[in-house]
Amino acid sequence: MKTKLILLASLYISQYIPTTFFIQTVPVLMRQQNMSLGAIGFLGFLIVPSALKFLWSPLVDRYRLPKLGHYRGWIIGFQSLLIVTLLVTASLDVQTNITGLLVCMFLAFLFSSSQDIATDALAVNLLLPQERGIGNAIQASGNFLGAIIGGGAALILLEKAGFRTTLLTMAIALLLCLIPILFHQEHHYPAAQSTTLKSYLQPFIRFFSRPKMGLWLLVVLLYMISENVSGTLIRPLLVDRGLSLSDIGWLLGVVSYIARIIAALMAGVLIARWGRKRSLITFGVIANVAALSYILPAAGVASPSILYAVCILVSGLQSMAYTALLTAMMDRSNPTTAGTDYTTQISVAFVGVVATTVLGGMVADAIGYTLTLIIGVVVSLSSVFLIPKVYKDSH
């Protein structure tokens, strides 16, 4: 069990380092240049690969790279491409080549989301049902630790050492995270060999034909909307309150993510005791209620102690809800088509991320931070009321 968790932690850490850097650093830089929330929101289009990755997930399930294993091979390949992308980005003059920076940002999300297909499939096959609560806590914690490196430490390093040094440091971190998967001995996973359109569509047909799957995917779509809205707005909001790159790096990129890691591990224990239904409902309600506390900085509160208290509270509770959702999604993934099943659910969730990232800034420009945050909470809470229907008379 320990070896499994170390392996999964290293993989989930690595895929979040570059993407968190781009999605957290670029909006802050844009806001510091007085760009509008609507313009910042359009960065959401660059994370479209995360929403569309289900389209190529059957290929990851079906094919394997020679001599490298099945999911192991895909992971090594895509993570190597991520490292190359960071090295190319480090060579850019971002002041004069914003197009190149945005292309690299898009490629980072493409390679990271593709690696995630194989990593999630590997996790579904590695973890027993009773291990999935703590396994998904490790997944969430790995994501958050990667975010600490990419969104916290990198922001602080960026201000002190510059863009190129920061990118090279992240590339080295990804290289180190490759070590556990290089030593992993992968079991043989059966994969379909047919290349017809029917065989490509078959995993999707089986997945969507399961009882109450449409209702469950609606829950997945709406459950994290509040977190997506608050995550989109909090960084430009903190810039408006006068915080520097380092201030934001410590608050959102280090302290808040440490709270997320601790909360995710707590959630893993509670999910095993409470079960999926109770955990989803409980964490969903308290996380959304807590998100309303972001109204304080939106109303002009800039006290460091209040900002830290609010961000720690909201981040921790949202992490518990996120961990419960990941665990429930893994339950709905068949080991033989794990990449497709799990990725389809993740893609649905990322449709909400893209929509709220693009629309959140535009709406906030029109009606302000406070009302936009409230709308996000109301939408997310609506998904909580659907959860009992999803789990009614089902296991």
Side-chain angles (χ1 to χ4, degrees), residues 37 111 115 133 135 167 193 209 226 256 298-299 376:
L37 294 174
F111 298 143
Q115 179 196 328
L167 270 293
Q193 298 302 315
S209 63
S226 175
S256 292

Side-chain angles (χ1 to χ4, degrees), residues 147-223:
I148 288 176
I149 298 170
L155 273 180
I156 297 167
L157 183 62
L158 179 64
E159 195 164 67
K160 297 183 180 299
F163 189 80
R164 181 167 299 179
T165 299
T166 302
L167 270 293
L168 292 175
T169 302
M170 289 195 297
I172 293 171
L174 260 64
L175 193 60
L176 293 174
C177 287
L178 262 179
I179 295 174
I181 191 65
L182 292 176
F183 287 95
H184 175 62
Q185 297 296 317
E186 186 178 27
H187 295 297
H188 176 74
Y189 303 125
Q193 298 302 315
S194 173
T195 58
T196 64
L197 177 61
K198 182 179 179 181
S199 68
Y200 168 81
L201 295 175
Q202 200 169 39
F204 293 114
I205 295 171
R206 284 198 300 265
F207 177 77
F208 285 105
S209 63
R210 294 176 191 172
K212 300 184 180 178
M213 185 54 68
L215 188 60
W216 167 246
L217 292 177
L218 181 59
V219 171
V220 171
L221 176 66
L222 301 179
Y223 193 75

Side-chain angles (χ1 to χ4, degrees), residues 5 60 65 91 108 123 129 133 139 161 164 169 206 214 233 307 318 334 366 369 379:
L5 298 182
V60 175
L65 301 182
S91 69
Q139 173 182 347
R164 181 167 299 179
T169 302
R206 284 198 300 265
L233 299 182
L307 291 178
Q318 288 178 340
N334 189 311
Y369 287 115
V379 172

Side-chain angles (χ1 to χ4, degrees), residues 124-339:
V124 170
N125 283 279
L126 277 178
L127 297 172
L128 301 173
Q130 63 270 25
E131 296 173 337
R132 288 175 181 170
I134 190 63
N136 280 281
I138 293 298
Q139 173 182 347
S141 298
N143 291 163
F144 300 145
L145 184 54
I148 288 176
I149 298 170
L155 273 180
I156 297 167
L157 183 62
L158 179 64
E159 195 164 67
K160 297 183 180 299
F163 189 80
R164 181 167 299 179
T165 299
T166 302
L167 270 293
L168 292 175
T169 302
M170 289 195 297
I172 293 171
L174 260 64
L175 193 60
L176 293 174
C177 287
L178 262 179
I179 295 174
I181 191 65
L182 292 176
F183 287 95
H184 175 62
Q185 297 296 317
E186 186 178 27
H187 295 297
H188 176 74
Y189 303 125
Q193 298 302 315
S194 173
T195 58
T196 64
L197 177 61
K198 182 179 179 181
S199 68
Y200 168 81
L201 295 175
Q202 200 169 39
F204 293 114
I205 295 171
R206 284 198 300 265
F207 177 77
F208 285 105
S209 63
R210 294 176 191 172
K212 300 184 180 178
M213 185 54 68
L215 188 60
W216 167 246
L217 292 177
L218 181 59
V219 171
V220 171
L221 176 66
L222 301 179
Y223 193 75
M224 303 301 293
I225 289 293
S226 175
E227 178 174 351
N228 298 334
V229 170
S230 60
T232 298
L233 299 182
I234 189 62
R235 287 163 186 83
L237 174 55
L238 292 178
V239 173
D240 291 351
R241 295 295 162 262
L243 275 68
S244 68
L245 268 176
S246 291
D247 293 334
I248 296 172
W250 279 109
L251 176 55
L252 296 182
V254 178
V255 175
S256 292
Y257 277 117
I258 290 174
R260 284 179 176 268
I261 291 172
I262 295 171
L265 295 173
M266 292 172 58
V269 175
L270 291 173
I271 291 166
R273 295 180 180 177
W274 291 355
R276 278 43 161 177
K277 177 182 174 182
R278 180 182 175 188
S279 299
L280 283 168
I281 293 173
T282 303
F283 297 149
V285 170
I286 60 177
N288 279 291
V289 171
L292 292 173
S293 62
Y294 274 148
I295 292 174
L296 291 175
V301 174
S303 165
S305 59
I306 293 178
L307 291 178
Y308 269 90
V310 167
C311 289
I312 289 171
L313 174 67
V314 176
S315 296
L317 293 176
Q318 288 178 340
S319 172
M320 300 180 92
Y322 177 63
T323 303
L325 186 65
L326 291 178
T327 305
M329 287 194 291
M330 189 169 285
D331 290 339
R332 288 166 172 78
S333 302
N334 189 311
T336 59
T337 53

